[in-house]
Amino acid sequence: MKLSIPEPDEPQAPTSTDCRLMYYISLLGFFAIFSTTISKNPVLPLFMQSIGSSDAVIGLISAISPFAGILFSFPVGVLSDRLGRRRLLITAGAIFLVAPLLYLFIEAPLWMIPVRFFHGTATAILGPVISAIIVERFFDKKGEMLGKYASSTLIGRTFAPIAGGMILSFFAAYPGIFRFRMVYVAAALAAFPVFVMTLFYRERNDRPLKVITLSIFRKSFVDFFSHRRLRAIALVDMATYFAFGTFETFLPLFLASRAVDPYHIGIIFAVQVLLIATTKPVFGWIADRIDKRLQICTGLLLSGISIGAISLSSSFPQFIAISIGTGLGISLSTVATSAYVADIARREEIGASMGALSSTMDIGHSMGPLVTGMIITVAGFTAGFFASFVLALVITGVFVWSAKGGRTVLSSGVG
């Protein structure tokens, strides 16, 4: 089976091959994210606790994987623009397959740090490379297709904890850490089709191997962050995932303090995941047809307002409404930001631009719980949740100012 992508200047007429490619990469994304998610949720903290990890070490280990995304997403995007997408996809596929097997040999907590970092590089590679492939092939429908791909990964992210919990329960009677190792065996099995599918991927404009100097990385970095619109859209993603990191980390603690039943807490989060998965293709389709800037501002403000209102809520229906508002805001904004970047970035820098966007997203996702946790410690939950609203409001203003004017494609590196 051979799948190819066109040169950047080739016409983007939809074909049956295009449809097959979309199913292909969506399936790849599903298995990849299923494999990484089942490796951490809910098994990781339980496994670490069983081999003697302290809470501080568990927190450190949990932060390692996003840190890999911060470090590698942008360089990976640059490499994919110059060496081709296929080589990077195969590298990611190999890491997805090998990393779960390394967990089987861990018996001391600190060994988990390099393993989690290594595993995190797989998603750091996959995200920007797949986004670049989708934009190149489906430029006129990029929002819709990016939304469909995101939904497939969210489905994998949803089913993985369920499968992991079932495996842990099924092997609960076995002594020691056997049941945890069975989860990682399942992760490796799920990663096997990912590796195989990356081997079968082909692209027409396969680039030759060559030396990539530091000056190329530096130029791509400066081109992206000196362009006011690209810089502003990166800030939007950072603020969105700052809010999301705050929501998923501290809402359970806030709800527990209000004596909300854990079953209801699970429903609140399940509603949001389901909503994001089902609406992203729709909002992507809308983003292809309206001014993406309006959709981005609406989504960012909606998520900020929803999280800011958490402390004002007191009933289960109100918390469901908060979850829905946050999910709709995230779905509206994030599917449009990637599509907007593709509109204004140079076509030969699509991979680098998607990588930069992914890095800033991981920064926001990591900083949200850290900063909000400090605020909550000093001033309480109300101030902590309100910080996400203030940040969303400020970044919306920055984006409106930076993105004003027509849709200009980056040509000189300065917007």
Side-chain angles (χ1 to χ4, degrees):
M1 179 180 183
K2 292 187 177 182
L3 296 168
S4 59
I5 61 174
E7 297 285 354
D9 57 351
E10 289 183 2
Q12 303 295 320
T15 65
S16 60
T17 302
D18 292 334
C19 296
R20 290 198 302 271
L21 175 63
M22 198 61 230
Y23 285 123
Y24 188 85
I25 59 180
S26 294
L27 190 62
L28 189 156
F30 167 81
F31 279 111
I33 300 305
F34 179 94
S35 177
T36 57
T37 304
I38 199 175
S39 298
K40 65 180 180 180
N41 188 10
V43 65
L44 184 62
L46 300 175
F47 180 32
M48 290 294 90
Q49 193 175 57
S50 72
I51 58 176
S53 293
S54 65
D55 291 340
V57 172
I58 292 174
L60 173 64
I61 290 169
S62 298
I64 286 296
S65 183
F67 184 65
I70 294 171
L71 286 182
F72 291 121
S73 292
F74 175 70
V76 161
V78 175
L79 289 173
S80 74
D81 287 331
R82 286 155 179 82
L83 301 180
R85 318 294 182 204
R86 182 173 184 266
R87 292 186 178 96
L88 275 301
L89 275 185
I90 292 175
T91 301
I95 297 172
F96 276 117
L97 181 60
V98 171
L101 301 177
L102 299 180
Y103 293 89
L104 302 179
F105 301 98
I106 292 177
E107 295 182 350
L110 292 181
W111 281 109
M112 185 63 80
I113 293 176
V115 172
R116 287 297 298 163
F117 186 84
F118 178 66
H119 207 169
T121 60
T123 49
I125 295 170
L126 187 72
V129 173
I130 290 291
S131 294
I133 289 172
I134 291 173
V135 167
E136 285 180 330
R137 174 61 73 102
F138 305 99
F139 191 80
D140 293 333
K141 300 193 297 180
K142 55 185 174 294
E144 179 183 356
M145 297 307 174
L146 286 167
K148 287 182 178 179
Y149 173 74
S151 292
S152 70
T153 61
L154 281 168
I155 293 170
R157 197 182 303 276
T158 301
F159 282 116
I162 298 172
M166 290 174 63
I167 293 171
L168 290 176
S169 297
F170 184 81
F171 291 102
Y174 287 77
I177 59 175
F178 180 80
R179 61 181 179 140
F180 301 116
R181 286 176 170 167
M182 288 300 98
V183 175
Y184 293 112
V185 169
L189 291 175
F192 182 74
V194 177
F195 178 63
V196 172
M197 293 174 80
T198 60
L199 293 178
F200 278 97
Y201 178 78
R202 296 290 184 272
E203 55 185 345
R204 278 181 213 156
N205 55 336
D206 196 17
R207 288 85 159 177
L209 281 173
K210 57 184 177 181
V211 176
I212 308 297
T213 63
L214 287 177
S215 62
I216 293 176
F217 291 101
R218 184 170 60 249
K219 182 180 183 301
S220 293
F221 183 88
V222 171
D223 280 351
F224 185 92
F225 287 101
S226 63
H227 188 277
R228 60 183 173 87
R229 294 181 185 174
L230 291 175
R231 185 172 60 245
I233 203 67
L235 289 175
V236 169
D237 254 17
M238 185 181 70
T240 301
Y241 280 91
F242 181 101
F244 181 62
T246 296
F247 180 90
E248 66 179 0
T249 303
F250 293 106
L251 181 61
L253 300 178
F254 178 78
L255 294 176
S257 72
R258 297 293 180 93
V260 176
D261 187 89
Y263 172 72
H264 286 149
I265 296 176
I267 291 176
I268 290 169
F269 278 89
V271 165
Q272 186 187 88
V273 173
L274 181 63
L275 187 69
I276 295 175
T278 54
T279 58
K280 272 209 168 187
V282 177
F283 290 150
W285 181 88
I286 293 173
D288 291 331
R289 289 159 175 80
I290 68 169
D291 191 332
K292 297 176 182 64
R293 294 170 294 186
L294 176 61
Q295 182 170 329
I296 290 166
C297 292
T298 303
L300 180 56
L301 284 175
L302 180 58
S303 59
I305 291 170
S306 299
I307 292 175
I310 289 175
S311 294
L312 305 176
S313 305
S314 57
S315 66
F316 180 67
Q318 288 175 333
F319 290 126
I320 287 290
I322 292 290
S323 182
I324 290 173
T326 305
L328 286 175
I330 292 170
S331 185
L332 270 168
S333 176
T334 54
V335 75
T337 52
S338 296
Y340 186 63
V341 163
D343 279 343
I344 61 179
R346 285 202 306 260
R347 296 295 294 276
E348 64 270 21
E349 293 283 348
I350 287 294
S353 298
M354 293 300 174
L357 199 64
S358 182
S359 290
T360 54
M361 175 197 75
D362 284 328
I363 291 172
H365 204 179
S366 299
M367 291 297 293
L370 177 63
V371 174
T372 303
M374 291 189 291
I375 295 173
I376 289 174
T377 300
V378 173
F381 280 111
T382 300
F385 292 131
F386 192 70
S388 290
F389 166 68
V390 172
L391 182 63
L393 193 62
V394 171
I395 296 302
T396 299
V398 171
F399 177 73
V400 168
W401 178 84
S402 301
K404 61 186 176 182
R407 290 170 54 185
T408 304
V409 177
L410 175 60
S411 58
S412 63
V414 180

